[in-house]
Amino acid sequence: MEKDIRILAIESSCDETAAAVVRNGRDVLSNVISSQIELHKLYGGVVPEIASRKHIEKINQVIEEALTTAGVGLDDLDAVAVTYGPGLVGALLVGVAEAKAISYAKRLPLVGVHHIEGHISANYIENRDLEPPFICLVVSGGHTHLVKVQDYGVYEILGRTRDDAAGEAFDKVARAIGLGYPGGPKIDRLSREGNPQAIPFPRAKVEGAPYDFSFSGLKSAVLNYLNGCRMKGEPVVEADVAASFQQAVVSVLVEHAMLAVEESGIGKLAIAGGVASNQTLRSAMEEACRSRGVRFYRPSPLLCTDNAAMIGAAGYYEFCKGVRHGLDLNAVPNLKLGER
Ligand code: KG4
Ligand code: ZN
């Protein structure tokens, strides 16, 4: 039997300080997440400078807890993996500097990981049978990508958003309704009490690019609807607005994902990223896949939003391919998927 590979993974690209120990890319020995949401809530969104400072305060504690929970010491590790982009530069730098320090002190190989590759790889953790090729819809606060995963670490981007990311649209609409930050989970919850057919919000298509997304028109339609109600003195049924908006986003996401599955002939679809924890999206996608005989994969909600276990999963496959970064590894805020 081959030797086990234990990777310490670090994630600090936005507002979660996270560390995990992952064995052989799929066994999560620990997954510690320190969320800053309560802090950023006060400002209605993530404040980059505050995020960086908080990461510095928390990172050692989070790593120690990850090692203790996993029952391993730094000497038991085979590599350190860290998110080096995309994300907030100051936030990323905290994780990258920490990973480099551990790598240098313990002579451990250093593996830089793309944040989106992490989100996609979250699917490997609870689905031992999942192997490329498969189609993955990545929907987070910063990204909306429809990706063909050709092999571990080999991606073809079929479509992307032309403006807002899906999560960003959720957050902006939630703010307009007065739900506060972060909006996704709040819209998800409120929608359960609303009628998704109450208001016919637009489902935007991008001319000549069937896999691309556009959510800014939908966001404006919601804002116009809310203003219209206020001007006419009509009451706003917030749950109906939330449910109708969510339905518009979900139907476009499902339609594009199914088109990619059908045209590629790949009978496997995975979803990833914070918005993938949305209940309506999960059930709609599951149903669409079931009726077409397509296998459907989705991570548990905790592995959809930012975490370090997913970085450990992605880092393992990069490590196995021989990817090593030097101590000159830097944070790359606009890192493209598939770039090194
Ligand atoms: O993947 P993630 O944690 O961070 C990024 O890489 O961006 O995604 C965060 C995004 C936020 O926009 C948040 O509102 C959205 O995911 N989100 C949700 C839900 N949970 C988180 N959107 C819809 N429904 C949810 N349940
Ligand atoms: Zn993320």
Side-chain angles (χ1 to χ4, degrees):
M1 213 173 97
E2 282 184 29
K3 179 187 173 298
D4 282 341
I5 302 292
R6 287 189 191 84
I7 294 186
L8 169 68
I10 300 172
E11 155 65 43
S12 69
S13 65
C14 190
D15 60 348
E16 331 278 353
T17 320
V21 179
V22 180
R23 186 174 53 204
N24 301 333
R26 306 223 179 197
D27 294 329
V28 177
L29 305 185
S30 64
N31 186 24
V32 180
I33 305 167
S34 168
S35 172
Q36 305 177 1
I37 281 180
E38 288 305 316
L39 206 61
H40 297 288
K41 243 185 197 168
L42 304 171
Y43 307 93
V46 178
V47 183
E49 188 55 31
I50 295 178
S52 320
R53 284 166 192 241
K54 210 65 199 167
H55 284 313
I56 293 174
E57 268 175 44
K58 289 282 176 188
I59 195 146
N60 283 326
Q61 194 184 320
V62 165
I63 291 173
E64 258 183 57
E65 198 182 326
L67 292 170
T68 311
T69 309
V72 300
L74 290 174
D75 292 323
D76 302 317
L77 298 171
D78 298 284
V80 185
V82 64
T83 307
Y84 73 109
L88 302 168
V89 67
L92 287 164
L93 273 171
V94 178
V96 168
E98 183 81 18
K100 289 200 285 191
I102 296 173
S103 155
Y104 178 70
K106 289 290 168 187
R107 303 275 179 271
L108 286 169
L110 176 67
V111 182
V113 173
H114 191 288
H115 183 74
I116 296 303
E117 177 165 18
H119 275 302
I120 294 170
S121 306
N123 280 288
Y124 296 134
I125 296 171
E126 293 158 317
N127 300 297
R128 283 168 187 272
D129 61 325
L130 176 62
E131 284 185 31
F134 59 95
I135 301 290
C136 188
L137 173 74
V138 188
V139 272
S140 73
H143 306 269
T144 303
H145 283 11
L146 194 53
V147 181
K148 189 194 281 182
V149 181
Q150 290 166 327
D151 199 348
Y152 292 105
V154 183
Y155 306 100
E156 184 192 337
I157 299 179
L158 303 174
R160 49 160 56 89
T161 181
R162 294 291 181 100
D163 37 60
D164 292 349
E168 201 178 346
F170 269 93
D171 293 337
K172 287 179 177 168
V173 166
R175 190 181 309 170
I177 308 179
L179 299 177
Y181 175 85
K186 294 191 167 142
I187 291 199
D188 193 350
R189 227 169 297 128
L190 183 62
S191 293
R192 287 169 212 166
E193 296 154 30
N195 172 8
Q197 261 76 52
I199 309 148
F201 288 130
R203 275 90 166 132
K205 291 221 181 328
V206 179
E207 247 336 277
Y211 295 131
D212 278 359
F213 303 94
S214 166
F215 295 110
S216 69
L218 170 60
K219 178 193 65 192
S220 304
V222 176
L223 297 181
N224 289 341
Y225 174 82
L226 292 172
N227 284 337
C229 289
R230 276 170 205 141
M231 276 159 60
K232 287 184 257 169
E234 287 171 4
V236 171
V237 183
E238 283 152 7
D240 283 353
V241 178
S244 302
F245 157 76
Q246 182 174 269
Q247 191 53 45
V249 175
V250 166
S251 66
V252 167
L253 294 177
V254 171
E255 195 182 303
H256 286 33
M258 289 306 110
L259 185 65
V261 165
E262 275 159 17
E263 292 203 341
S264 67
I266 297 175
K268 287 186 273 183
L269 177 89
I271 56 174
V275 182
S277 61
N278 183 276
Q279 274 311 325
T280 303
L281 175 62
R282 290 164 88 87
S283 350
M285 204 66 99
E286 183 159 24
E287 177 51 30
C289 285
R290 200 194 48 72
S291 66
R292 290 169 176 79
V294 171
R295 291 219 49 186
F296 176 55
Y297 301 87
R298 78 276 184 281
S300 296
L302 188 71
L303 293 173
C304 287
T305 43
D306 287 350
N307 66 86
M310 67 184 197
I311 304 302
Y316 170 77
Y317 290 104
E318 293 290 316
F319 175 86
C320 291
K321 284 200 302 190
V323 171
R324 302 290 183 270
H325 284 91
L327 292 175
D328 57 351
L329 179 68
N330 206 350
V332 184
N334 56 356
L335 186 66
K336 301 279 172 295
L337 190 62
E339 241 176 35
R340 292 230 160 76

